[in-house]
Amino acid sequence: MQQFSTLFKTLEQSNSRSDKILVLADYFQKSEEKDRLWAVALLSGRLPKRLCTSKDLLAWGMEASSIPEWLFDASGKIIDDVAETVALLLPQPDEPDEQPLFSWMETVRMLQLRKAIDKKTAIQKAWMILNPDERILLNKIITGAFSLYLPEEMLVKGIALATGINEHIIAHRLSGKWSPEINDYHELFVREHVRDYISKPYPWCAERTVDDVTLFKKNPAAWSACYQWDGISVQLILRKGELFLWSEDGRFLNNNFPEIDILKHFLPDGLVFSGQIVAYSERPRPINELQTRLRGKKPGQKKMMATPVVMFVTDLLEFKGADIRREPFRKRRGHLEALLKNYKSNGVLKLDWKLGFDTEEALEELRQSLRQAGAVGLLLRKQENSYLDGSFLLKSDPLCITGILVYVEINNRSGRVRTLSLAVHDGMTLQQFTKVLATLSDEDHAELSEFVKGNTTGRYGSSRSIIPELIFEIAFDNVFSSTRHKSGLVLRNPQLKFWRKDLNPDDAGTLRDLQNFI
């Protein structure tokens, strides 16, 4: 348990993506093999059945600690986490525990079959030999509260680095049905599987973002343009009668979008498409509407009908089983147009519109029409270039607004402000409309922390409500109507731009200003 406890603490405290991947790889190389698969299960959200409630845990902790109930309650209000409160108020163990993670997980599994009194006795004995960090982990596991914000692609990269296996192969295996109680780590992630290679996507081409049209003014006819939608970049693979859907960040998406699977009945083998999965209802919708499809298990019919999707295809990378990435784009596009003309796709697959322009001014007009079309950019390729030569993404200028800081979220371990919640004027009241990461300089972080300490009006776990005095300017790509947000709006890609120390609260933007951007 000690190795996994150290891993968890490091992942929780580190802000470096690359450091987290290295720490994961080191753990998967040095820990016991039986521990590794349990670690993967816990970090990917495959938790055992809950052993007890938080209320039970609190009662057992008070009994084991002999601390008065009022003091226990007071400590709990400060820590705001039952698992941590119980773990920290118990006495230190006499000697460090040497039992590995898998042994503790077997104990938890066995206790699920026992009576409540037996569970209490076993957990209280466990607390006496575990250190506080290990107790926190055990408490969170047995109450079903274990969680860590760790993107799946980061876990995939850590396992891939430790094993030397391709990331997409790891992601495919991770997405399948497996259990640490039945499978073993080597069989699941290390041993070579024949099916791995038919599911493997091609490396994504480089996509360079540009801010103006001057690059394309010489010989505009040599370029081809199409809309870049607010969706998920994917590769769709059809090989050996099977279909595989991969995102650019290495997620295996077959379970998230089961309506795509029907394409294997309409299209021939030996194809790899490049494109985007987009929420689509008469016209393309913003990417936030896809979030319900990306969370949890395979969506039911109700969720699929609430958020219908299509795949806009922009390129063809494999045709009749042959890699055609080195062919010129005009030829690949020709194959693509003929293919989708001759085969039905049940409306799930759409060929992205080809946009023509013959002058720099015409391209600028296309750029200015992006928001009206619901697109986030123009994807431009040279007609004679191969897929390996990459493409250019021409984006519109970001939108900006100033907001009043009303809430901050504090990192409990470092004490630094992590996020800022901003509001705009809505008549005589303030309406919260977005939350952004606090990407400030060290000096501004220190100044903001001092302000928060002296101007906090309420505490809610790690969040603080503060006196609305500070003004920040944010930039964002677009704004959409939303029934899920109190403001009635949702911003795409909001980012902190400036701390506007020159402005007063009365100078902040209004809800009407945001609505006018739609």
Side-chain angles (χ1 to χ4, degrees), residues 231-234 245 257 260 275-279 290 309-312:
I232 304 168
S233 293
V234 296
L245 187 66
F257 303 104
I260 301 293
Q276 288 183 291
I277 295 289
V278 179
L290 291 176
V309 300
V310 299
M311 178 178 172
F312 280 102

Side-chain angles (χ1 to χ4, degrees), residues 177-189:
K177 292 182 179 180
W178 57 270
S179 167
E181 300 163 12
I182 300 171
N183 303 97
D184 68 76
Y185 179 85
H186 190 275
E187 170 70 20
L188 187 61
F189 294 119

Side-chain angles (χ1 to χ4, degrees), residues 371 396-400 475-477 497:
R371 288 196 176 91
S396 56
D397 294 328
L399 302 171
C400 296
F476 52 97
D477 290 339
K497 193 175 181 184

Side-chain angles (χ1 to χ4, degrees), residues 159-178:
I159 299 172
L161 186 61
T163 59
I165 305 294
N166 181 275
E167 290 176 18
H168 290 99
I169 292 175
I170 297 294
H172 186 207
R173 295 180 183 181
L174 187 63
S175 68
K177 292 182 179 180
W178 57 270

Side-chain angles (χ1 to χ4, degrees), residues 475-506:
F476 52 97
D477 290 339
N478 215 335
V479 59
F480 303 95
S481 298
S482 171
T483 56
R484 295 177 56 246
H485 295 77
K486 192 174 180 181
S487 65
L489 302 168
V490 61
L491 275 57
R492 185 185 189 278
N493 194 28
Q495 295 182 355
L496 182 62
K497 193 175 181 184
F498 302 117
W499 181 350
R500 295 298 301 270
K501 299 179 183 180
D502 57 318
L503 298 181
N504 298 315
D506 290 342

Side-chain angles (χ1 to χ4, degrees), residues 222-396:
W223 294 88
S224 176
C226 67
Y227 286 129
Q228 178 87 335
W229 303 107
D230 196 10
I232 304 168
S233 293
V234 296
Q235 283 186 29
L236 175 63
I237 300 168
L238 287 152
R239 294 182 185 133
K240 304 291 183 183
E242 295 191 61
L243 181 146
F244 307 93
L245 187 66
W246 290 100
S247 70
E248 188 173 3
D249 60 5
R251 286 179 294 177
F252 184 63
L253 299 177
N254 281 42
N255 292 333
N256 303 93
F257 303 104
E259 59 267 69
I260 301 293
D261 195 60
I262 198 172
L263 293 175
K264 67 186 179 185
H265 302 299
F266 295 97
L267 295 168
D269 254 2
L271 299 175
V272 178
F273 297 106
S274 175
Q276 288 183 291
I277 295 289
V278 179
Y280 192 89
S281 179
E282 297 184 357
R283 60 172 290 170
R285 302 294 301 160
I287 194 172
N288 65 291
E289 296 188 14
L290 291 176
Q291 294 308 310
T292 56
R293 301 291 296 272
L294 295 175
R295 300 191 197 105
K297 299 178 182 178
K298 188 174 181 178
Q301 194 65 32
K302 184 177 179 181
K303 188 179 286 188
M304 290 168 62
M305 291 179 66
T307 312
V309 300
V310 299
M311 178 178 172
F312 280 102
V313 181
T314 57
D315 210 340
L316 185 64
L317 312 185
E318 186 175 308
F319 184 52
K320 296 181 179 179
D323 178 0
I324 62 169
R325 292 175 298 154
R326 296 186 183 277
E327 293 186 5
F329 175 68
R330 60 173 176 76
K331 191 172 180 180
R332 301 197 310 275
R333 178 76 184 196
H335 290 315
L336 189 56
E337 290 174 355
L339 183 67
L340 296 188
K341 182 178 180 181
N342 294 330
Y343 288 94
K344 294 181 180 180
S345 63
N346 208 34
V348 180
L349 209 62
K350 291 182 180 291
L351 183 62
D352 213 342
W353 301 304
K354 191 175 180 180
L355 306 171
F357 63 94
D358 51 11
T359 64
E360 183 181 344
E361 292 74 20
L363 180 57
E364 182 60 34
E365 286 181 16
L366 284 174
R367 184 192 186 200
Q368 296 301 325
S369 69
L370 287 173
R371 288 196 176 91
Q372 185 178 359
V376 297
L378 287 171
L379 195 63
L380 295 118
R381 297 182 180 87
K382 272 194 170 180
Q383 299 273 19
E384 297 302 319
N385 276 7
S386 73
Y387 178 77
L388 305 178
D389 292 321
S391 57
F392 292 90
L393 180 62
L394 181 63
K395 300 184 72 173
S396 56

Side-chain angles (χ1 to χ4, degrees), residues 47-51 105-115 119 141-142 181:
L47 305 180
K49 185 179 177 181
R50 189 175 70 171
L51 187 68
M105 297 309 299
E106 284 297 316
T107 299
V108 170
R109 285 184 59 234
M110 296 301 296
L111 285 175
Q112 288 169 351
L113 305 174
R114 307 295 293 274
K115 295 180 180 179
K119 293 178 183 178
I141 290 169
I142 64 177
E181 300 163 12

